[in-house]
């Protein structure tokens, strides 16, 4: 499969690497062509990886990963071009975090709206699935944790798209918990702050959520 990754940060690099490791072709996009981080990442990953702009990555991917600064999603997606994402699955890994007041971050969008819903509204022709936003980038691919495979919460409006993303999530080493439509992003995005607070408090950076069940 061809994967477009919008984002040159730790998440874009980690998920891009995971897709390359599984044999997919990946193009990483940035605001500017020639972005140094994207170029260095592609060079390190080898022939299955390449770099370009957000628009290049959006056009390239059959499946596209959104891994941009959450409060900059709107401008990143405008640059990517909603028409280039029409009909495609978009995995939204982002959290609308506002660090302007220091730690802990606040949510720039909350209550009866969420970053995930905003992404879906901006991309009416795409099938947006929230995933990977509740785990740190160091544990996004086949995390080897003593408690076994962690859980990954996913949310989205399109059942087929969630089936596909669920398959990716399983391949990446997680159990899948589908919590409903994209509006469930309202509850998944604050979980990221719980993850950050517990990571900082206990100095646990390789940690992930898991529900225990009978
Ligand atoms: N870090 C984690 O472990 C983690 C875990 C789960 C979820 N998340 C979420 O995943 C997303 C990515 O996180 P990250 O740490 O990998 O990277 P990040 O630093 O949050 O975002 C980097 C990306 O955002 C783009 N960007 C920054 N400002 C922009 C603007 N004004 N307009 C358009 N694009 C802009 C950058 O573009 P350029 O490439 O052009 O610089 C870059 O590609 C975030 O929403 C974060 O909350 C992070």
């Amino acid at each position: 499969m061809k994967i477009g990754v919008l984002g040159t940060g730790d998440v874009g690099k980690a998920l891009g690497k995971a897709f390359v490791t599984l044999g997919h072709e990946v193009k990483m996009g940035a605001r500017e062509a020639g972005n140094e981080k994207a170029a260095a990442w592609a060079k390190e990953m080898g022939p299955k990886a390449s770099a370009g702009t957000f628009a290049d990555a959006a056009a390239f991917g059959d499946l596209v990963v959104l891994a941009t600064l959450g409060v900059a999603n709107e401008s990143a997606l405008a640059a990517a071009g909603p028409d280039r994402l029409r009909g495609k699955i978009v995995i939204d890994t982002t959290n609308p975090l506002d660090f302007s007041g220091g730690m802990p971050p606040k949510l720039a969008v909350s209550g009866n709206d969420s970053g995930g819903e905003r992404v879906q509204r901006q991309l009416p022709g795409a099938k947006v699935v929230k995933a990977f936003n509740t785990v740190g980038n160091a544990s996004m691919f086949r995390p080897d944790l003593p408690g076994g495979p962690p859980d990954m919460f996913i949310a989205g409006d399109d059942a087929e798209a969630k089936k596909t993303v669920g398959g990716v999530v399983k391949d990446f080493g997680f159990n899948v918990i589908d919590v409903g439509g994209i509006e469930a992003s309202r509850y998944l995005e604050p979980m990221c702050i719980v993850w950050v607070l517990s990571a900082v408090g206990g100095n646990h950076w390789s940690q992930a959520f898991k529900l225990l069940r009978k």
Side-chain angles (χ1 to χ4, degrees):
M1 201 165 27
K2 287 186 173 175
I3 311 291
V5 173
L6 311 180
T8 59
D10 290 336
V11 174
K13 287 191 276 189
L15 293 179
K17 181 178 181 179
F19 279 110
V20 169
T21 302
L22 295 176
H24 300 287
E25 285 180 67
V26 180
K27 187 180 284 291
M28 176 179 282
R31 279 173 284 190
E32 307 285 341
N35 176 289
E36 283 179 14
K37 281 197 205 171
W41 174 86
K43 192 173 171 204
E44 189 190 335
M45 292 300 112
K48 285 195 177 290
S50 58
T53 62
F54 286 140
D56 295 333
F60 178 84
D62 302 316
L63 181 153
V64 173
V65 175
L66 178 64
T68 45
L69 184 71
V71 291
N73 283 349
E74 194 176 345
S75 74
L77 289 173
D83 281 347
R84 294 188 188 90
L85 297 167
R86 192 167 293 282
K88 297 181 181 178
I89 294 172
V90 174
I91 300 181
D92 174 20
T93 71
T94 68
N95 290 305
L97 300 182
D98 171 5
F99 285 96
S100 61
M103 280 289 277
K106 292 187 173 50
L107 288 171
V109 188
S110 62
N112 295 326
D113 200 7
S114 62
E117 288 164 278
R118 287 189 175 192
V119 171
Q120 182 65 81
R121 285 202 297 274
Q122 196 178 348
L123 304 176
K127 301 158 205 168
V128 178
V129 180
K130 195 94 192 169
F132 295 105
N133 74 302
T134 56
V135 68
N137 66 84
S139 304
M140 285 183 171
F141 185 60
R142 300 189 174 166
D144 184 15
L145 298 170
D151 293 329
M152 179 69 71
F153 301 99
I154 70 169
D157 293 340
D158 188 283
E160 280 303 308
K162 280 197 287 193
K163 209 188 258 181
T164 302
V165 174
V168 169
V169 165
K170 275 188 203 146
D171 274 357
F172 280 35
F174 293 81
N175 298 314
V176 181
I177 299 184
D178 180 347
V179 291
I182 195 66
E183 75 280 358
S185 302
R186 296 173 193 181
Y187 317 113
L188 297 186
E189 289 164 4
M191 285 179 71
C192 147
I193 299 180
V194 176
W195 189 97
V196 168
L197 288 173
S198 53
V200 173
N203 200 19
H204 297 305
W205 297 94
S206 292
Q207 63 169 11
F209 289 110
K210 187 173 183 68
L211 293 181
L212 300 177
R213 294 184 172 125
K214 275 204 210 183

